[in-house]
Amino acid sequence: MSQLEPLIADLALILICAGVMTLLFKSLKQPIVLGYIVAGFLASPNMPYMPSVTDGHGIHVWSEIGVIFLLFALGLEFSFKKILKMGAAPIIAALAIILCMMYVGACTGELFGWSQMDCIFLGGMLAMSSTTIIFKAFDDMGLRQQRFAGLVLSVLIIEDILAIVLMVMLSTLAVSKEFEGTQMLNSILQLGLYLVLWFTVGLYFIPMALRKLKPLMNDETLLITALALCFGMVVAASAAGFSAAFGAFVMGSILAETVEAETIEHLVAPVKNLFGAIFFVSVGMMVDVALIIEYIVPIVTIIAAVLLGQTILSTFGFLLSGQSLKTSMQCSFSLTQIGEFAFILATLGTSLGVTSDFLYPIVVAVSVFTTFTTPYMIRLAEPAYGMVARALPAKWIARLERNTNEDDDKAPDELQQLWNGCFKRFVFNMLINSVLCMAIMTIMRYYGQPLIADIVAAEWVHPATALIALVLCAPFLWMLMRADSDSPEVNRLWNSGPRWRVRMTAYGLLRLVITAFFVSCFVDYAMPHSSWLGIFALVAIMAVIFYSPYLERHSKEMTQNFTDNLSAREKMKAKE
């Protein structure tokens, strides 16, 4: 009789426990995530009365794959356009909540004398509420259509994005072992540049490739292609020094803008559910009852910090974003739990070896308790508002209710709206094209130049590298200088008086300065120490790019393709 591999036997045990617990928790109308955690505890060596998992390393690898699929699925549900349409309120609220809760978490850890890294990671874990649990709670309670529920879900989307940024920052901090402001700023800047680059390039090429391959695509080939793109981005992100989860999220967000997004999401769901279950079961395997009993005081304290911190500090965060007191309290009472990202951050700290062993089971215990209390806290919001309204002076309540943008129907005048739209496009144009130029320059410097050095003489290596990079950047430099410069909106603003003409002139000069900076980099790299010749070359190159009909035609085609890809999904839904 053949011997069964331990990993297969472990998988059987995990799925049997998970299946039984999910059915039980479903019948009790409780979140299935908690069932997975209980299943993990039952299958772990910490439960002596049942068979336990023997191949811990194999389960750990599968749980990492689970994190990849969870973040990939999250990216498929995400849309950059949704973020832009939300306005500033959710962003202000999310930033305020995260900063406040990170501070509360760090102070709570210091209260018990924990290490600096434990305190920092605990702050990150407490800052992220559970999208899955809140979404299900709103669904079960029939609150999805309420205004405050929409605002909470918008804030959760922002929190998910900031959680990815936080993961990168904590990874950098864990490796460097110290908080150094300049290094952290460089990491955030690098993250932003990579995010813009990958999203721009991916959204330009991937939808185009999927359209051309559509005759060959069925459910099977589309699933394999989507997973190939996901894991390809995982490898690229890891090579660039970011986490695998970040790469999965980026690829998911790129595919979210394609017409195949809903199909991919449907096809990936069973795979995500399988590996996601293994991840949450692996979280449950970390639960140690003896350790929880030993650290019962910190657990109770952290639970109190989450409940009080979210209800009080988050209320101020929503008030700061312009919401009424009642809406702010309804939103803040909905966020009183920690969820999936807390587990992911705890796993990150454990895998990097920078957090203590006791932190993981403590966070799991806190998450389980706050998950159970979520529906009750949501119901408690209105009675709590009534108590606060009766306790505070009437003038304060009236002022808080007036300090809101919920009913602010005053719109800026038509020209101001026109300028706002143009300004957003101007910023988007400069950001995208500047990042693409920097990416091409970096690639040519570190990868192209060594290849060119094998072909040409040594004195021609730098000029040849600069020339090729300049040719590749030329369409983007044209867009930096001239994109949308002759649009009807711009012409109308120009003809609407000196106020708008000054703004348009300042923006035009800024575009020329940025373009001149990039061109000067190419010229200086090709001809160092040649001042007058360099200035002449700079002016000549900018004139050629500015007046080139080929670059104008090519740049407009590229812009149109990108715009079509970005709006393809919305156009398809409009036709339906």
Side-chain angles (χ1 to χ4, degrees), residues 213-225 263 267:
L213 296 173
K214 191 172 183 178
L216 304 175
M217 288 288 183
N218 56 21
D219 286 353
E220 181 179 355
T221 54
L222 182 59
L223 173 62
I224 298 302
T225 302
T263 305
L267 294 173

Side-chain angles (χ1 to χ4, degrees), residues 423-454:
F423 184 74
K424 288 180 182 178
R425 290 197 297 274
F426 293 161
V427 173
F428 184 78
N429 169 57
M430 287 192 295
L431 176 65
I432 294 295
N433 291 295
S434 297
V435 170
L436 290 172
C437 288
M438 285 188 285
I440 291 172
M441 292 166 65
T442 303
I443 291 171
M444 287 302 301
R445 172 66 179 84
Y446 292 101
Y447 299 101
Q449 183 174 311
L451 297 176
I452 295 173
D454 295 334

Side-chain angles (χ1 to χ4, degrees), residues 494-521:
W494 182 263
N495 296 321
S496 296
R499 172 190 176 190
W500 306 106
R501 202 168 295 170
V502 168
R503 294 188 184 187
M504 302 303 294
T505 301
Y507 170 69
L509 291 174
L510 177 62
R511 297 174 74 168
L512 289 175
V513 169
I514 295 175
T515 308
F517 167 76
F518 283 112
V519 175
S520 66
C521 291

Side-chain angles (χ1 to χ4, degrees), residues 30-43:
Q30 295 297 327
I32 292 178
V33 172
L34 295 179
Y36 289 142
I37 293 173
V38 174
F41 172 70
L42 295 177

Side-chain angles (χ1 to χ4, degrees), residues 376-416:
Y376 306 104
M377 294 298 294
I378 294 174
R379 293 191 185 98
L380 187 62
E382 289 200 29
Y385 167 74
M387 293 176 59
V388 172
R390 289 190 296 270
L392 291 178
K395 292 182 179 180
W396 290 19
I397 296 297
R399 187 170 183 178
L400 288 172
E401 295 298 342
R402 278 202 309 270
N403 185 29
T404 173
N405 58 16
E406 293 174 21
D407 301 315
D408 186 10
D409 296 325
K410 184 180 178 182
D413 60 56
E414 188 179 356
L415 289 176
Q416 185 62 46

Side-chain angles (χ1 to χ4, degrees), residues 88-314:
I91 299 175
I92 294 171
L95 286 171
I97 292 167
I98 289 176
L99 291 174
C100 289
M101 290 307 298
M102 285 191 69
Y103 180 75
V104 168
C107 290
T108 304
E110 289 182 358
L111 182 66
F112 295 101
W114 294 349
S115 68
Q116 185 181 33
M117 293 303 295
D118 284 339
C119 294
I120 293 173
F121 269 80
L122 179 63
M125 294 172 202
L126 267 56
M128 303 298 165
S129 299
S130 172
T131 305
T132 303
I133 293 167
I134 295 174
F135 188 89
K136 186 180 186 305
F138 284 161
D139 207 29
D140 293 343
M141 300 170 70
L143 299 174
R144 285 276 303 281
Q145 303 306 317
Q146 296 286 329
R147 185 189 181 279
F148 85 89
L151 183 59
V152 168
L153 294 175
S154 299
V155 168
L156 289 171
I157 292 175
I158 305 295
E159 283 191 354
D160 290 340
I161 299 299
L162 295 176
I164 302 296
V165 178
L166 186 61
M167 286 176 60
V168 176
M169 292 175 62
L170 291 178
S171 299
T172 304
L173 185 61
V175 172
S176 62
K177 302 294 184 182
E178 59 181 5
F179 185 85
E180 208 281 309
T182 304
Q183 183 182 6
M184 194 64 66
L185 182 63
N186 289 337
S187 298
I188 296 173
L189 181 61
Q190 187 182 21
L191 171 67
L193 293 177
Y194 272 103
L195 188 62
V196 172
L197 174 64
W198 284 334
F199 181 74
T200 305
V201 174
L203 195 56
Y204 184 81
F205 287 106
I206 291 176
M208 186 167 54
L210 291 177
R211 281 197 301 270
K212 291 185 178 180
L213 296 173
K214 191 172 183 178
L216 304 175
M217 288 288 183
N218 56 21
D219 286 353
E220 181 179 355
T221 54
L222 182 59
L223 173 62
I224 298 302
T225 302
L227 296 184
L229 291 171
C230 171
F231 281 89
M233 185 60 78
V234 164
V235 173
S238 299
F242 300 115
S243 67
F246 173 70
F249 175 82
V250 170
M251 182 50 65
S253 64
I254 292 172
L255 292 175
E257 305 296 346
T258 66
V259 295
E260 293 83 3
E262 292 181 0
T263 305
I264 294 173
E265 189 176 348
H266 174 71
L267 294 173
V268 169
V271 186
K272 178 206 75 174
N273 291 338
L274 172 62
F275 285 98
I278 295 174
F279 167 71
F280 288 117
V281 169
S282 70
V283 170
M285 292 171 61
M286 300 293 293
V287 175
D288 187 342
V289 176
L291 203 59
I292 291 175
I293 294 173
E294 181 182 352
Y295 287 93
I296 190 64
V297 174
I299 290 173
V300 172
T301 305
I302 294 172
I303 290 172
V306 172
L307 297 179
L308 294 176
Q310 287 286 13
T311 53
I312 297 173
L313 298 177
S314 296

